[in-house]
């Protein structure tokens, strides 16, 4: 049994599908602050198996411990947290409360239940401004915004915890840019309000919900002047969690591992791929740079291959085709008309 905090969210829902398909039992624990119950129903429909779903907040230590104990889980995958960089700058205490204090409560509950295997959702943002590219796991760590700082604080906390008690088995997974959706078109990313991230915005332009994409800057020192990122299909990312759990089942330690494709693509690469996949135009206008954006970064993904035997299998075309299917089948997300 695997206990999945934030399992109703974008990456969590796709990971629950792959955990169920791999034969794991799953309990989701989520407060639905940024997700819909419907996502958990669809996960079970895709997998053809049931899972337990508990509505609860990770900051509620007593409820969390009761749910973890009742689940009988042997490991936790911890997705629950807030992720909007701009909001984290405006409301830092909300982010420290959810992401840092919430994780403290989770680790306390795990210790109380004798569950010492954890996979944590970290982010490439912990590398800060690149000194060398691609980012390797031994790159210097720093944070350029409050969201990134909460990830870095939790990473440090996990390393300290492991140093204090070597029985812990911890996988810190540093995600690059997750995009795409399950190939069924039943689950995908369902941002509330105006999307901050590139792919959901592009998809909403293609489907006609928004007029044009704002390209945030074309004067970066990159081949076409637009920002370069390492996009990873969310199903490949989900499979990385299954492999990480397998690894932690056989190895003690606290490892930090990049989950990325190992190649960078520009904003205009993404626009062109999406147009090809959808057969729809994606008009765009070039605007000023977005504050805080880095020009280019991508992963060295070789450690994940060496430790977990994992690498990405889905390219840009599949990322765009699957995003488009999800967007087309669910033009207004899980809630239908908004
Ligand atoms: P998401 O918002 O779709 O999922 C997070 C889930 O956690 C949601 O279902 C939300 O309701 C739940 N949640 C939030 N606070 C909670 C709390 N206090 N108690 C219980 N549940 C709570 O986000 P996602 O994109 O699926 O991201 C999952 C994790 O991966 C997050 O920790 C995020 O920071 C991290 N991450 C995401 C990205 C990305 O680009 N999507 C990149 C790097 C890291
Ligand atoms: N972009 C646009 N227009 C948009 C949105 C994005 O041109 O409307 C550009 C950005 O400038 C950037 C690229 O598209 O060059 C990707 O931007 P995203 O917002 O999709 O992703 P980021 O790389 O900025 O941020 C993501 C996550 C963060 C995380 C960060 C760490 O959203 O949570 O990766 O790697 F911290």
């Amino acid at each position: 049994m695997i206990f999945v905090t934030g399992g109703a969210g974008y990456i969590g829902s796709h990971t629950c599908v792959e955990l169920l398909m791999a034969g794991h039992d799953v309990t989701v624990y989520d407060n639905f602050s940024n997700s819909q119950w419907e996502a958990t129903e669809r996960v079970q429909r895709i997998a053809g198996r049931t899972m337990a779903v508990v509505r609860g907040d990770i900051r509620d230590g007593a409820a969390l411990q009761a749910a973890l104990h009742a689940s009988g889980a042997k490991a936790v995958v911890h997705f629950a947290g807030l992720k909007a960089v701009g909001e984290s700058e405006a409301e830092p205490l909300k982010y420290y409360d959810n992401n840092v204090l919430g994780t403290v409560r989770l680790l306390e509950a795990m210790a109380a239940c004798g569950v010492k295997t954890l996979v944590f959702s970290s982010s490439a943002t912990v590398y800060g401004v690149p000194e060398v590219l691609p980012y390797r796991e031994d790159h210097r760590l720093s944070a350029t915004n409050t969201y990134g700082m909460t990830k870095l604080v939790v990473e440090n906390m996990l390393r300290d915890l492991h140093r204090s008690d070597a029985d812990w088995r911890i996988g810190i997974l540093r995600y690059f840019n997750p995009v795409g959706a399950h190939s069924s078109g039943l689950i995908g990313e369902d941002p509330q309000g105006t999307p901050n991230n590139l792919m959901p915005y592009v998809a909403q332009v293609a489907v006609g919900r928004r007029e044009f994409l704002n390209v945030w800057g074309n004067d970066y020192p990159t081949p076409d002047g637009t920002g370069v990122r390492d996009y990873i299909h969310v199903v490949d990312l989900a499979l990385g969690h299954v492999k990480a759990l397998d690894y932690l089942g056989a190895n003690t330690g606290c490892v930090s591992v990049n989950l990325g494709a190992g190649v960078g693509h520009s904003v205009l690469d993404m626009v062109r791929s999406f147009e090809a996949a959808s057969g729809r135009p994606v008009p765009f206008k070039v605007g000023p740079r977005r504050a805080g954006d880095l020009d280019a970064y991508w992963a060295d993904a070789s450690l994940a291959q060496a430790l977990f035997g994992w690498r990405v299998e889905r390219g840009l075309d599949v990322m765009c085709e699957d995003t488009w299917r999800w967007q087309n089948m669910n033009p207004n997300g899980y809630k239908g008309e908004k």
Side-chain angles (χ1 to χ4, degrees):
M1 171 66 74
I2 312 291
F3 191 82
V4 183
T5 75
Y10 172 46
I11 305 169
S13 57
H14 289 82
T15 302
C16 287
V17 168
E18 299 308 328
L19 287 170
L20 290 167
M21 305 283 270
H24 293 286
D25 292 323
V26 172
T27 295
V28 167
Y29 186 89
D30 200 302
N31 68 358
F32 296 92
S33 59
N34 195 37
S35 52
Q36 306 296 325
W37 186 273
E38 173 69 15
T40 65
E41 307 268 2
R42 295 192 186 184
V43 163
Q44 297 174 75
R45 209 195 314 163
I46 295 167
R49 293 188 55 206
T50 58
M51 64 180 182
V53 184
V54 179
R55 184 184 291 270
D57 196 297
I58 54 168
R59 293 165 296 174
D60 181 347
L64 175 61
Q65 191 177 317
L68 179 60
H69 181 73
S71 74
K74 296 279 175 282
V76 173
V77 184
H78 178 33
F79 293 106
L82 302 177
K83 62 169 183 177
V85 174
E87 186 188 48
S88 79
E89 289 292 283
E91 297 182 75
L93 298 183
K94 184 172 164 183
Y95 274 67
Y96 282 103
D97 183 40
N98 246 281
N99 295 3
V100 178
L101 295 182
T103 304
V104 173
R105 295 289 93 81
L106 174 65
L107 296 169
E108 289 169 344
M110 290 176 69
C113 295
V115 180
K116 292 189 172 178
T117 300
L118 175 74
V119 172
F120 171 63
S121 302
S122 189
S123 165
T125 194
V126 299
Y127 293 121
V129 178
E131 291 173 356
V132 188
L133 282 173
Y135 285 133
R136 275 178 16 166
E137 288 81 355
D138 57 5
H139 189 282
R140 189 203 307 263
L141 303 181
S142 70
T144 54
N145 56 63
T146 302
Y147 165 72
M149 186 54 85
T150 66
K151 291 292 176 192
L152 192 46
V153 169
V154 170
E155 281 206 6
N156 286 332
M157 201 160 72
L158 294 174
R159 285 185 277 270
D160 291 344
L161 180 64
H162 180 263
R163 218 174 38 251
S164 77
D165 176 357
D167 286 348
W168 282 88
R169 297 164 183 242
I170 299 174
I172 295 172
L173 304 183
R174 296 181 180 144
Y175 310 156
F176 283 70
N177 286 51
V179 297
H182 192 266
S183 59
S184 62
L186 288 174
I187 58 172
E189 189 170 10
D190 182 20
Q192 304 304 301
T194 308
N196 290 315
N197 297 119
L198 179 65
M199 275 295 259
Y201 204 105
V202 166
Q204 291 189 7
V205 172
V207 84
R209 209 171 138 185
R210 302 191 188 273
E211 210 183 328
F212 59 88
L213 169 74
N214 289 295
V215 173
W216 302 130
N218 66 354
D219 58 351
Y220 286 108
T222 60
D224 65 21
T226 65
V228 166
R229 295 290 183 274
D230 183 334
Y231 296 92
I232 171 173
H233 195 296
V234 66
V235 172
D236 280 328
L237 186 61
L239 288 166
H241 293 71
V242 179
K243 294 276 191 165
L245 283 168
D246 290 346
Y247 172 85
L248 293 174
N251 300 275
T252 55
C254 177
V255 291
S256 305
V257 181
N258 290 338
L259 293 185
V263 288
H265 292 289
S266 73
V267 174
L268 297 183
D269 289 338
M270 300 307 283
V271 168
R272 277 189 292 269
S273 287
F274 205 90
E275 287 181 328
S278 65
R280 299 280 183 96
V282 177
F284 64 85
K285 290 186 186 167
V286 176
R289 293 181 178 195
R290 184 171 64 178
D293 271 359
L294 296 172
D295 47 9
Y297 61 82
W298 59 95
D300 178 329
S302 56
L303 185 62
Q305 169 127 43
L307 290 187
F308 303 161
W310 171 93
R311 54 183 291 183
V312 300
E313 289 167 5
R314 293 159 182 82
L316 220 53
D317 48 348
V318 181
M319 297 180 206
C320 292
E321 283 159 18
D322 289 341
T323 303
W324 178 237
R325 188 177 304 106
W326 155 253
Q327 178 68 53
N328 225 358
M329 285 171 62
N330 311 269
N332 295 304
Y334 289 112
K335 281 198 288 202
E337 292 304 310
K338 277 185 189 162

